[in-house]
Amino acid sequence: MEKINLTKAASLRDVKEITSFSRATIYRKIKESGFPKPIKISAKRVVWDEVQVKAWLNEQVSQLQTR
């Protein structure tokens, strides 16, 4: 079993609040732009690493500011 380093778990609701993205946009960004993938913690539950989500968001903002 692969060990996962999870700093703080964030639900889909949390990720939507942090990013202001819809569910569909979150999953599209996972496929298209390297948005952090969810971690399956049970048969019907996934979470994201909140630190990774915020780091990704900060990187996107930094890229926009340097253009």
Side-chain angles (χ1 to χ4, degrees):
M1 178 185 273
E2 179 183 346
K3 182 174 171 135
I4 298 171
N5 185 13
L6 182 62
T7 307
K8 183 175 179 186
S11 66
L12 178 59
R13 178 178 290 174
D14 296 333
V15 174
K16 288 169 60 176
E17 186 174 313
I18 291 166
T19 62
S20 72
F21 294 155
S22 68
R23 179 187 185 281
T25 299
I26 291 167
Y27 281 97
R28 185 174 63 249
K29 290 202 174 285
I30 289 169
K31 289 181 182 179
E32 295 174 355
S33 64
F35 190 84
K37 292 181 179 179
I39 301 161
K40 190 169 189 172
I41 60 171
S42 72
K44 295 183 178 182
R45 182 86 167 140
V46 297
V47 296
W48 281 259
D49 184 327
E50 184 176 307
V51 172
Q52 289 181 2
V53 171
K54 289 180 176 179
W56 180 89
L57 189 58
N58 287 332
E59 179 63 29
Q60 301 309 302
V61 170
S62 293
Q63 287 178 7
L64 290 173
Q65 290 176 342
T66 59
R67 289 185 181 175

